[in-house]
Amino acid sequence: MPSRQEIFDARTTAGLTQKQASELVHLGSPVRWAEYENGTRNIDAARWELFRIKVWLNGRKISPPA
């Protein structure tokens, strides 16, 4: 699992606020994302993977289907 620093670094590198990150992975509240970053709650593997995939895809220039 990622450390709280890795979670913070990934979000800030992506240029997202905690609110935007929480919305990206369908959390009900940005408070939950803050808990991941301050270490009071662990992010589950599936949510972390979803975050990383969505950030990667949003940063890529994907051509529309032909």
Side-chain angles (χ1 to χ4, degrees), residues 35-48:
E35 292 172 339
Y36 297 155
E37 289 187 8
N38 68 31
T40 58
R41 184 179 297 267
N42 291 324
I43 191 168
D44 62 278
R47 197 167 306 271
W48 178 239

Side-chain angles (χ1 to χ4, degrees), residues 42-56:
N42 291 324
I43 191 168
D44 62 278
R47 197 167 306 271
W48 178 239
E49 185 174 353
L50 177 63
F51 175 78
R52 293 179 64 203
I53 289 168
K54 286 184 138 184
V55 165
W56 181 78

Side-chain angles (χ1 to χ4, degrees), residues 16 19-27 50-51 54-55 58:
L16 299 172
K19 182 176 189 294
Q20 291 168 323
S22 66
E23 290 171 351
L24 190 67
V25 295
H26 310 289
L27 289 172
L50 177 63
F51 175 78
K54 286 184 138 184
V55 165
N58 287 336

